[in-house]
């Protein structure tokens, strides 16, 4: 194969990323769009880069060292990347390669001025922009200078920032190649950036133009504040003209310099309104060509616009693909389910197939379309009430969207919109036998599933599962099940509302729910204390567990003195709770039964910090505290006017809460129990595909939807490229933060707390478990890495039921995501932990080890000096 070192931009399109890098491919593609002007030039290809790298074998060793470095070890990264850059810049460009570049220059004029730009193969991609990670040089004049700056561009693949960016995005340094774009320099009157979607709100219908005088480097480098224009449907809807005191201009010989702008021009707009609208029109043409919103660098030259770069905007949260042009409002499922991480395709499709309402995927997350419910007055009132009680930020976000004129259509009420706010409906009796019956129904259904699925394989398994999903939905939608869940929640709301009205006491129900019966999630945390009781008296077992890394440790455990009893205790725990894990709504996540080492650190902490019998004592202490609170509340109510009536009503509601609130956690346990049965069957099918050489690894099925996996099993054929593409996309989704509310325009709305009762500097959240506690913050993003001591306050993004074993050893809880009735809030109340949830960016604003004060009654967190 003959290596080609130089390609003209006119020869390049998007299919040539491997040859000319992302920037070069985009520029070539741009030059093909009708009406879009791109400065002429050429690309020095990745063949040239590989030729240069081959000239220095020592780079290989340094790349090996670089790949092993932790990206947080900035000093080591800085030192090693600088060595690699010096080596590359010191390599003399071979004569034939230098001649190819010089010949290309001759076509445009050897002594002309050029921009020399890095163009990496992992750059300007749909999933990772790499903006600003490599170098650009402006106003470079003459062949010698051009060759020197081409070498610098090659070396810039290994700037410290580029190396760290790749490491944090999971990209192997060896897989990235560097091309270089050499373009004729343009000397603009004005320059700037055009975003074809609003980069702050995500709204795809609003374009944003940043503009300044001179070269665009002044804006990119932050030297000046730009003029900012917002354009929607061809009209400027907002603009802010900045005082632009400086600009960057080209020097006569080469290079650039900062210059002061005449005071009379500083506050003049860099573009006229007509030019802004014309520029946005060009941007829409570019966006349509590439099929996604673009971040475009532009120059205004002689009243005409030239485009010097266009890349995808990778920070926008994707929009569900509904296939119509109607307005839609979506609410995040992850914020309700306490799992805002992206889900793999099999996980998404399985949740969709077993959900009670249609769910739409975007960015690896699921959303529910609530547009029709918002459209009618009664539906809107009921939805806002329920959402507001659970998570005020969701309600505020929905109200923000409703404030947009005419975005949500108005429809007449189709029927009753639900129970009035603040009133508890009573469709079922306060009878513990109802909970017992519901649990038995769920257990029987799961046992039948386990029995019947054993004989199913191949396509027959998928037919069976589709029927099982219908049974799954029947169990979840059982009217009695829903009534029992709502009974506990509505009674809690009633108590909090009425006891605040009558006694002036906030969140009184928090104490009244302590140690409520039949709460499978709180029992799960206490049960691990019982496991620790078995292990604590066996020093050989404790020592063994401290060194456990292999998932098969339970077999080894039985060989130790006291190990058989320890193994049996852990096995019994896994039999009851082994289907649980962090992010358990995603069937692809490893369960505790599959990865029991996850539990070992928690067990060891329980051994270390608790005395024997702690589980029973804690439960009894909570029960007595709740009983004492009940007596206190009722006696205070009887002292009020109409006190006996108030006390009788409150007593009925307290009984109702204690009967039903524990069951709030059981349906999720039942769902996850069934999920584990589905997963085991699908993994057995995946093993057969591996044995038949259809798949290289069992876990590859996680990147297929349920229907796609069904097709693979039927045909014994799989699209390897599709699986690899899905892996890449999933990795990119992990960098995105899902909004609580998303619109079909792409507007991501997170909501805000409208409160004036929070001290200055405090972090506002939602109070979900009463009390105030002060202690050391432990910021933990992965339960498996938890290192908690008694008195610590857990700070994390979200907690689902799998985190509850940690709750027995902490003093308080702060999360970024959560609501009044989400699992973390329920268990915090069960254990009497002061808790504040929905604290935006808590894991960034609170540093690990800082002392904080959690106001669980009033809903805010203070960071202490």
């Amino acid at each position: 194969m003959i290596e080609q070192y130089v390609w003209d931009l006119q020869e390049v399109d998007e299919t040539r990323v491997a040859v000319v890098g992302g920037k070069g491919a985009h520029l070539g593609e741009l030059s093909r769009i009708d009406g879009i002007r791109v400065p002429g030039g050429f690309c020095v290809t990745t063949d040239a880069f590989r030729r240069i790298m081959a000239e220095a074998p020592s780079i290989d060793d340094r790349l090996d060292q670089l790949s092993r470095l932790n990206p947080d070890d900035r000093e080591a990264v800085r030192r090693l990347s600088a060595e690699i850059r010096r080596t590359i810049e010191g390599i003399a460009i071979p004569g034939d390669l230098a001649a190819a570049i010089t010949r290309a220059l001759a076509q445009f004029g050897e002594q002309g001025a050029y921009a020399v730009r890095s163009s990496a193969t992992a750059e300007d991609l749909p999933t990772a922009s790499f903006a600003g990670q490599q170098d650009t040089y402006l106003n470079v004049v003459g062949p010698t200078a051009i060759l020197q700056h081409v070498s610098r561009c090659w070396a810039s693949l290994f700037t410290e920032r580029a190396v760290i960016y790749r490491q944090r995005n999971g990209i192997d340094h060896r897989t990235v190649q560097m091309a270089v774009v050499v373009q004729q320099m343009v000397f603009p009157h004005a320059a700037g950036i055009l975003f074809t979607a609003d980069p702050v709100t995500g709204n795809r219908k609003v374009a944003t133009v940043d503009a300044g005088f001179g070269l665009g480097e002044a804006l990119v480098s932050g030297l000046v504040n730009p003029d900012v224009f917002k354009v929607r449907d061809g009209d400027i809807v907002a603009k802010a003209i900045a005082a632009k005191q400086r600009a960057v201009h080209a020097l006569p010989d080469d290079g650039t310099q900062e210059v002061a702008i005449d005071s009379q021009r500083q506050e003049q707009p860099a573009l006229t309104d007509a030019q802004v609208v014309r520029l946005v029109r060009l941007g829409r043409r570019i966006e349509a060509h590439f099929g996604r919103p673009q971040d475009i660098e532009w120059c205004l030259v002689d009243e005409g616009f030239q485009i010097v770069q266009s890349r995808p905007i990778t920070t926008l949260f994707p929009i569900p693909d509904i296939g119509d042009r109607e307005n839609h409002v979506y609410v995040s499922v992850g914020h309700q389910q306490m799992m805002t991480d992206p889900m793999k395709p099999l996980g998404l499709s399985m949740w969709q197939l077993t959900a009670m309402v249609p769910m739409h995927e975007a960015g690896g997350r699921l959303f529910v379309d609530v547009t029709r419910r918002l459209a009618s007055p009664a539906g809107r009132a009921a939805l806002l009430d329920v959402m507001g009680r659970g998570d005020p930020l969701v309600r505020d976000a929905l109200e923000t969207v409703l404030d947009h004129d005419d975005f949500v259509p108005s429809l007449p009420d189709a029927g009753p919109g639900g129970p009035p706010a603040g009133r508890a409906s009573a469709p079922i009796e306060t009878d513990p036998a109802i909970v017992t019956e519901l649990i038995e129904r769920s257990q029987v259904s799961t046992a039948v599933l386990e029995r019947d699925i054993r004989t199913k394989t191949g396509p027959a398994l998928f037919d069976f599962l589709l029927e099982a999903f219908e049974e799954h939905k029947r169990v979840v939608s059982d009217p009695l099940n829903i009534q029992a869940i709502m009974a506990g929640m509505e009674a809690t709301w009633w108590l909090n509302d009425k006891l605040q009205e009558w006694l002036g006491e906030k969140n009184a129900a928090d104490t009244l729910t302590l140690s409520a019966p039949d709460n499978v999630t709180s029992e799960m945390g206490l049960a691990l204390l019982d496991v620790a009781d078995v292990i604590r008296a066996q020093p050989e077992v404790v020592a063994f567990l401290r060194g456990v890394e292999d998932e098969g440790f339970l077999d080894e455990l039985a060989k130790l003195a006291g190990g058989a009893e320890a193994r049996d205790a852990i096995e019994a725990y896994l039999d009851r709770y082994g289907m649980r894990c962090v992010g358990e709504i995603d069937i692809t996540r490893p369960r505790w039964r599959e990865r029991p080492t996850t539990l070992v650190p928690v067990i060891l902490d329980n051994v270390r910090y608790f005395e024997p019998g702690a589980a029973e004592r804690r439960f009894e202490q909570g029960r007595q505290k709740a009983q004492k609170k009940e007596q206190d509340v009722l006696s205070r109510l009887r002292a009020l006017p109409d006190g006996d009536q108030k006390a009788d009503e409150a007593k009925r509601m307290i009984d109702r809460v204690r009967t039903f609130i524990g069951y709030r956690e059981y349906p999720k346990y039942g769902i996850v129990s069934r999920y584990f049965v589905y997963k085991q069957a699908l993994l057995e099918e995946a093993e057969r595909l591996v044995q038949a050489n259809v798949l290289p690894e069992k876990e590859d099925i996680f990147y297929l939807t349920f229907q796609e996996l069904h097709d693979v099993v039927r045909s014994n054929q799989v699209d390897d490229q599709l699986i690899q593409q899905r892996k890449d996309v999933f990795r990119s989704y992990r960098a995105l933060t899902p909004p609580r509310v998303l619109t079909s325009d792409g507007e991501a709305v997170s909501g805000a707390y409208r409160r004036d009762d929070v001290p200055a500097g405090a972090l506002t959240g939602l109070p979900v478990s009463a009390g105030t506690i002060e202690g050391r913050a432990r910021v933990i993003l992965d339960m498996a890495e938890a290192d908690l001591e008694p008195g610590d306050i857990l700070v994390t993004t979200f907690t689902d039921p799998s985190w509850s074993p940690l709750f027995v050893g902490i003093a308080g809880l702060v999360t970024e995501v959560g609501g009044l009735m989400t699992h973390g809030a329920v268990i915090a109340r069960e254990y009497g932990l002061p808790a504040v949830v929905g604290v935006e960016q808590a894991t960034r604003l609170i540093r690990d080890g800082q002392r904080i004060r959690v106001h669980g009654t009033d809903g805010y967190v203070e960071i202490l000096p």
Side-chain angles (χ1 to χ4, degrees), residues 137 154 190 200 226 322 332 347 370 380 387 425 454 527 559 587 605 665 695 752 771 797 806 824 862:
Y137 302 97
W154 288 329
V200 177
I322 301 295
S332 164
V370 296
R380 182 185 314 130
M387 291 294 178
S425 57
R454 287 176 191 146
K559 300 173 186 176
I587 198 172
D605 281 350
E665 292 293 296
L695 288 174
T797 48
L806 296 182
E862 291 180 285

Side-chain angles (χ1 to χ4, degrees), residues 4-7 9 12 16-25 27 42-50 53 101 116-123 134-137 149-157 175-182:
Q4 184 171 346
Y5 295 131
V6 174
W7 286 39
L9 275 178
V12 173
R16 303 295 182 181
V17 171
V19 178
V20 298
K23 189 175 295 159
L27 284 167
F42 58 90
C43 299
V44 182
T45 67
T46 52
D47 284 340
F49 176 74
R50 279 189 290 271
M53 294 290 278
I101 296 171
V116 183
R117 301 172 180 269
S118 307
S119 180
T121 52
E123 183 177 28
Q134 283 91 39
D135 289 348
T136 288
Y137 302 97
H149 286 84
V150 166
S151 285
R152 288 181 179 174
C153 283
W154 288 329
S156 76
L157 188 63
T175 64
V176 185
Q177 307 291 316
M178 179 67 86
V180 181
V181 175
V182 180

Side-chain angles (χ1 to χ4, degrees), residues 336-339 582-583 668 780 794-804 806-807 810 813-818 822-828 837:
Q336 313 301 313
Q337 291 294 334
M338 294 300 92
M339 216 294 277
V582 173
K668 181 78 169 286
I780 295 170
L794 173 61
V795 180
T796 189
T797 48
F798 58 81
T799 61
D800 59 12
S802 70
W803 287 72
S804 64
L806 296 182
F807 284 24
I810 60 176
L813 174 70
V814 178
T815 68
E816 294 180 345
V817 176
T822 49
H823 301 279
V826 171
I827 304 308
V837 302

Side-chain angles (χ1 to χ4, degrees), residues 55-72:
E55 297 280 330
S58 65
I59 290 178
D60 266 352
D61 292 337
R62 291 194 176 106
L63 286 179
D64 286 338
Q65 294 174 48
L66 201 59
S67 65
R68 290 192 294 268
L69 289 179
N70 184 320
D72 292 327

